[in-house]
Structure formats: structure tokens, C-alpha cells
Amino acid sequence: MSALIRRFSRFSRFSRCMAAGLTAAVLVAPAFALDTVKFMAPGSVGGGYDQTARVLGKAMVEANTAKAVTFENKGGAGGTLGLAQFANSTKGDPNALLVVGAIMVAGIEQNKPQISLKDVTPIARLFTEYNVIAVRKESEYKTLDDLIKAFKANPTSITWGGGSKGSVDHIGIAELAGKLDVPVNKVNYVAFGGGGEVVAQALGGQLKVITGGYAELGQYIKTGQFRVLAIGAPERVPGIDAPTLKESGYDVTIGNWRGVYGAAGLTPEQRKEVIDAVVAATNSKVWQDNIQTNAWTPSVLTGDEFGKFVEEEHVRLHAMLVKVGLL
């Protein structure tokens, strides 16, 4: 009898050890919230939407909230073409993410597409990227004051290059012109669909001034090919050696927030999983490193609060488009 008890005791201890080992294995195994996440970047490769998608994708893999990631680019009409394709092809898919931003909201206000952000699911706003105003190193304009004086004296002689018509880049320069009492129809703004082309034109001297997010222009700024005259942030941004427009006496803020939307038709549980996966990724090292490198200002806002913010952005940007004569 005692031998039987001893054998049972040994079996019991073995079972407990096995259970503890299995529990430990479960605890250390990656608990992926999502499978292969399919990103839609509604702009050209290398542009702001694309860059956001690729950094977030890498961060999600690093944070173990996605097993893998893929990327698709579909530019045009301020991002609304990519939005339409995403909305039509991903319904109910928790593994699909669309990068969005203020430029897309402005594009919707201008183009009035059949499919809007109301047809997809708000997940999270991620950060705000403020525009720089820069010139190539050979430019005669050494300071913002030099540029402003020339612009006021002969507005059409200054060619400004940036994103699509009605984009944050365009609206920002038009608003700055308004502060200088320069008529909007005198602003010689040249719109481009992708970052690479506008950079090439500015470096080649076909454009006098370039405006855009620091992340897209940072590599050229760091190598001295572009000189930053000002930044459109409410206060100075660490890592960017340039005054703000406000401290230079011009009450203008130029910035583009970016975030992600999910597919239509997600269940509340699926939506929460996607939000949690994205937010966890923003705590990863790769994300934090890119926040610093790209001079992004973190501004995380999730779910319905993000959706409400986007609704307010529609109102704000519509009013600005009317004010600067683009609607």
C-alpha cells in the first residue's frame, strides 16, 4: 500500500511539473493578436503614407502583434483612390489597415468621392508631422525673412513645391500668403503626387521653395542639400535647427497628422484587438527610434475618439479650403 502511495505521489509531482512547464511555455510563446497584416498606403512609395505604413508594420512585427506584414501602394486624388480600393476589398478583415491623414480628409472634401472614411473603421491616430519650409543650399534666400520679402515684392516669382492641390502643404502656404496680404491667386504653387518628384525639382532649381514633412526631406536636410528656413510647428521641434513660423511673427501652423483605419464590418472584439495591436507597436523600440529620427510628435488617439477627431477635421479643413479659395 505504501509503495502504491509513493508511486502516486511521484506521478502527482510529475504531473504538476508538466503542468507548470506547459503554463510557462504558454506564457513565453508570442501571442499574436493579428496574422499577416495587409497595409494600404494610399500614396507613392517613399511618401508619407508609405513611410508610416512600413514603420508601423515593422513595429508590429517587433512587438509580436502581427506575424508578418505586406504593403500595397495606390496613390491619387489625395489618397481617396486607395481608400476606395481598401474599403471595397477588405470588409470584415481584421488583418487590413489603411494609413490616413489630414491630406486624405482634404481630398475627400474636395473630390466628394462616393466612398469616404465613414465607410471604414477608425483605429488610431499615431502622430503629427509638422511641415518644414526649405530651399536648396545654393538658394539666394538665407533666412525666412529673405524669402518673405521676395514673396511680398513679387509673389508669382516664388515657385512653391509640395503635395497635391488642396493638401496640407498647399493649404499651409496659402494661409501664410493670407497673413502676408498676398492674394491666393498670386501664389505660384506647383502640386506633386509624390515626394520624390518634388524633391528632384527643388534640388534642380526648378522650384524656389519646397514644403513638406521633415521625414520625407530629412535625409536631404542632414546632408546639407536643403536648408530649412522655418517649421510650421506650434513650438520648436527637437532635432530641427529652425525657427517656427509663429516665433518669426506669422501665426500659422502647418502639420499633417497620420493614423490608421481598419476594414468595415469589424466586430467590437476584432476592433479592440486591432487597436491593442497598433498601440502596443507604438511602444516598440523601432517605433520610438523613428519618432525621434523623423521628428514626429506622438499624438495617439484611439477608437471612437479618433473617429470624432476626424469628423472635426472635416469641418476645419473644409473651412480652410474655402478660406484659401480652393473650394
Side-chain angles (χ1 to χ4, degrees):
M1 182 72 176
S2 60
L4 179 63
I5 292 172
R6 285 196 299 273
R7 282 198 299 272
F8 178 79
S9 177
R10 284 197 298 272
F11 176 77
S12 179
R13 287 197 299 273
F14 175 76
S15 298
R16 288 197 298 270
C17 289
M18 284 292 291
L22 288 170
T23 301
V26 169
L27 289 174
V28 299
F32 295 110
L34 304 175
D35 194 24
T36 297
V37 176
K38 301 176 286 289
F39 279 91
M40 165 60 77
S44 60
V45 175
Y49 287 133
D50 181 69
Q51 188 176 34
T52 302
R54 291 176 191 276
V55 173
L56 180 58
K58 188 176 180 181
M60 291 179 74
V61 171
E62 182 183 277
N64 285 346
T65 62
K67 289 182 181 178
V69 289
T70 64
F71 305 96
E72 182 174 1
N73 294 79
K74 178 72 174 180
T80 59
L81 297 185
L83 164 62
Q85 181 174 315
F86 178 86
N88 287 327
S89 64
T90 63
K91 291 176 183 176
D93 184 357
N95 296 299
L97 287 173
L98 167 73
V99 181
V100 302
I103 291 173
M104 182 180 289
V105 174
I108 291 169
E109 288 299 317
Q110 286 186 292
N111 300 316
K112 304 297 181 188
Q114 290 185 329
I115 293 176
S116 73
L117 288 170
K118 292 180 180 179
D119 298 300
V120 284
T121 304
I123 298 298
R125 184 184 70 189
L126 300 170
F127 61 86
T128 301
E129 181 179 20
Y130 294 102
N131 274 41
V132 295
I133 292 175
V135 295
R136 66 178 188 150
K137 64 180 181 181
E138 299 88 354
S139 173
E140 61 195 283
Y141 311 119
K142 305 302 181 187
T143 66
L144 180 65
D145 283 343
D146 292 340
L147 174 62
I148 294 300
K149 285 175 185 175
F151 184 44
K152 291 178 73 173
N154 187 1
T156 58
S157 70
I158 306 297
T159 47
W160 305 79
S164 57
K165 185 178 179 182
S167 66
V168 168
D169 304 349
H170 190 184
I171 291 172
I173 298 306
E175 191 177 12
L176 176 61
K179 298 290 183 182
L180 301 170
D181 295 323
V182 173
V184 171
N185 61 1
K186 297 290 186 183
V187 177
N188 189 359
Y189 182 88
V190 184
F192 292 86
E197 190 179 359
V198 64
V199 166
Q201 293 279 310
L203 289 175
Q206 290 89 352
L207 299 169
K208 293 287 186 71
V209 190
I210 187 170
T211 183
Y214 179 83
E216 291 184 63
L217 305 180
Q219 60 179 311
Y220 306 101
I221 294 167
K222 289 174 183 175
T223 57
Q225 292 170 277
F226 282 137
R227 179 169 58 253
V228 181
L229 302 184
I231 185 166
E235 55 189 34
R236 288 210 177 202
V237 175
I240 301 178
D241 184 22
T244 67
L245 288 170
K246 285 196 171 187
E247 73 179 83
S248 300
Y250 311 105
D251 189 17
V252 178
T253 300
I254 310 173
N256 178 25
W257 55 267
R258 291 201 185 91
V260 286
Y261 267 60
L266 297 183
T267 66
E269 293 76 20
Q270 287 175 324
R271 187 189 191 192
K272 184 179 185 304
E273 278 193 347
V274 178
I275 290 172
D276 290 348
V278 169
V279 171
T282 66
N283 295 318
S284 69
K285 183 178 185 301
V286 68
W287 183 263
Q288 292 299 321
D289 286 349
N290 274 275
I291 284 284
Q292 184 173 0
T293 300
N294 297 320
W296 291 339
T297 301
S299 56
V300 176
L301 192 66
T302 62
D304 289 339
E305 290 186 354
F306 177 39
K308 183 179 179 183
F309 165 79
V310 172
E311 289 175 5
E312 293 168 351
E313 280 291 273
H314 275 281
V315 175
R316 180 182 75 87
L317 289 168
H318 181 93
M320 290 184 69
L321 287 164
V322 170
K323 180 180 177 181
V324 301
L326 295 172
L327 277 184

